[in-house]
Amino acid sequence: MLARRQFLGLGAGGALLGAAGRASAWTASAPASMREPGAPFTAYGVPSEWEQEVTRLPTANRDVPGNGASWSPLHLLEGIITPNGLHYERHHNGVPRIDPTTHELLVHGRVRRALSFRVQELLRYPLRSRICFLECGGNSNAAWHRQPIQSPAGHVHGLVSCSEWTGVPLSVVLAEAKPYTDADWLIAEGADAFAMHVSIPMRKAREDGLLALYQNGERLRPENGYPLRLILPGWEGVTNVKWLRRLRVVDRPVMARNETYSYTELLPSGKARQFSHTMDVKSLLLQPSAGMRLPGPGWYLLSGLAWSGRGRIRGVELSTDGGQHWRAAELQQPVLSKCLTRFRLPWQWDGAPTVLMSRATDTSGAVQPAREQLVAARGRHGYFHYHAIVSWAVGQAGDVRHVYGTGTGDSHDSNAPADIDSGWF
Ligand SMILES: Nc1nc2c(c(=O)[nH]1)N[C@H]1C(S)=C(S)[C@@H](COP(=O)(O)O)O[C@H]1N2
Ligand SMILES: [Mo]
């Protein structure tokens, strides 16, 4: 591994990847694209015809209409922003069709003034923008399996995305409704057929809750909550209620399906974790990752994403020798709180089989755990909040495979009773 400065300074003898032969064979004759006018203007741009395989991966639960998820192709993206058409989706009963001119948000319950807001009215409030990640609590849950799954990284870890969200701070709307002092919780309800509803502590709602209307500069996509959704930065996806229609101010949680039956975790002690809202520190190497192939020894740019619901990413360390040595990656600036953070580091592969790993630390001091540490803490009934270090083994032929740990024998994880059921959450 090497610092970026050195990589750039290597010149002819080292990092040179261009081909001198091709340069000398270059002809000055104009390519076809220079000989006739190009295509006309378009009303709404779409990706190049050569990028058609960069799509989400929709997976549906056949028993419940509209229940399932589509995975963001993280392994095919760069930077930190997820294009709107590639933001992951998680719906419990499909995407509702909502006319923004009639949609209303009701704020009621333990308030002095019950209020209803039209979308047009919310658009006249002082708007705020915030770039943050959104991650489903069930993201990466296939990593609890006994055997490391070999799907592309985005199909295992792609229930996380990052956007610039713009909307009205929830604190502003709450202040207008004047909650009573015992109003410690909010019940947020969506206008979908599932009637998604969850309990949210008032403290979080006031701290940085956002009533989002825009996503990356344009109005929300229908699948991401059009015309209005809740954004709770750094908190489990399920609390970010889409198609938001109601905020009921209450003095205790409602114990809804998605905070009792689902999104709770049975621990080895027999107790269950509930309201585990904050997403843990996590990182994922994407270049390279499972299913890719390194064409041969030489220079590669390791690149991936790190994030934490507890604050900013303080550092990401990479190991290219199965965890024996670690070295700090370069973080793309600016590093934002509760936001995807891009890390990169040049690496010279010598052609020998090895294991690549990334480990993130956040500003709260939390360090991403090894898989065995996470399994020891959470037990074998773990299903949500998987955030352990991911290992990719590079084979002699440059093939990249998913392994657990260093892949030297613990990958069979013999204590596990059986593969968990990747059902729906
Ligand atoms: N109304 C409503 N809100 C919802 C959901 C839903 O099914 N209905 N799914 C939740 C879950 S589990 C997640 S992970 C996020 C997904 O948001 P996205 O589809 O915009 O990525 O929305 C949450 N908000
Ligand atoms: Mo979720």
Side-chain angles (χ1 to χ4, degrees), residues 210-222:
L210 193 67
L211 296 168
L213 297 149
Y214 290 86
Q215 177 182 2
N216 294 328
E218 64 181 0
R219 294 290 291 278
L220 302 178
R221 290 291 171 92

Side-chain angles (χ1 to χ4, degrees), residues 284-313:
L284 179 68
L285 181 61
L286 292 158
Q287 298 294 335
S289 55
M292 295 183 180
R293 219 190 124 262
L294 307 182
W299 287 101
Y300 291 91
L301 184 65
L302 304 177
S303 172
L305 291 168
W307 63 98
S308 168
R310 294 200 165 78
R312 276 181 295 113
I313 288 297

Side-chain angles (χ1 to χ4, degrees), residues 87-94 134-137 165 189-192 194-196 223-225 229 236-243 263 425:
H87 193 287
Y88 85 89
E89 301 173 78
R90 171 75 183 103
H91 324 304
H92 289 73
N93 211 339
L134 182 65
E135 183 180 20
C136 179
W165 303 100
E189 183 188 58
D192 51 341
F194 185 72
M196 167 62 76
E223 57 269 36
N224 302 117
R229 84 172 300 167
E236 197 174 53
V238 70
T239 61
N240 293 248
V241 175
K242 301 189 280 190
W243 314 298
Y263 292 100
F425 33 86

Side-chain angles (χ1 to χ4, degrees), residues 40-92:
F41 303 97
T42 51
Y44 200 100
V46 295
S48 156
E49 63 187 283
W50 286 283
E51 300 297 326
Q52 297 302 307
E53 82 286 9
V54 184
T55 62
R56 294 191 280 228
L57 176 76
T59 53
N61 169 352
R62 267 176 260 112
D63 302 334
V64 184
N67 185 18
S70 61
W71 304 73
S72 196
L74 301 178
H75 54 289
L76 303 175
L77 303 176
E78 251 297 340
I80 63 165
I81 299 292
T82 314
N84 287 348
L86 298 176
H87 193 287
Y88 85 89
E89 301 173 78
R90 171 75 183 103
H91 324 304
H92 289 73

